Amino acid sequence: MAVEPLSQKEIEDRLAELPGWSLEGDRIVRSYRLGSHFAAAAMVLHIAQVQEELDHHSDLTLGYHSVSLTVNTHSVGGAVTELDFALAHRVEELAPGHGAH
């Protein structure tokens, strides 16, 4: 199945379902705060596992008590696609288990 870039309207509609996520340029982004550096590192590993399952990878940044994701689809020239939102939804599902907000 070919992956196609989403329109601005489609991106806005999907972002409305993902509080905390926003569009910055040609990427969707989200940062999470966690209770400790160890909790943040564990969340990074969990996200990496999901990315492998989806075969779709984001730019993932580990901070002192934070995790940030920047997501777009390189195979369509760096546009936002359904794959990006699939990853975002999976991250949203796992974040509470790490105490992320």
Side-chain angles (χ1 to χ4, degrees):
M1 181 172 102
V3 178
E4 298 293 327
L6 297 173
S7 70
Q8 186 69 28
K9 171 93 170 82
E10 290 170 320
I11 293 169
E12 291 170 5
D13 289 347
R14 284 163 180 77
L15 284 172
E17 301 169 1
L18 289 167
W21 287 82
S22 61
L23 182 66
E24 290 185 10
D26 61 353
R27 301 161 185 262
I28 58 171
V29 300
R30 171 83 152 93
S31 293
Y32 296 90
R33 297 288 306 158
L34 292 99
S36 70
H37 182 69
F38 187 81
M43 185 170 167
V44 165
L45 289 174
H46 199 168
I47 293 169
Q49 179 183 14
V50 168
Q51 290 179 143
E52 286 297 307
E53 290 172 13
L54 295 176
D55 193 25
H56 188 60
H57 303 84
S58 67
D59 290 333
L60 188 55
T61 304
L62 171 62
Y64 179 56
H65 285 184
S66 65
V67 173
S68 299
L69 290 93
T70 303
V71 189
N72 64 1
T73 303
H74 301 286
S75 64
V76 293
V80 177
T81 69
E82 287 291 346
L83 289 173
D84 304 313
F85 284 99
L87 177 57
H89 278 283
R90 289 285 302 275
V91 172
E92 284 298 304
E93 290 171 2
L94 67 85
H98 292 278
H101 60 283

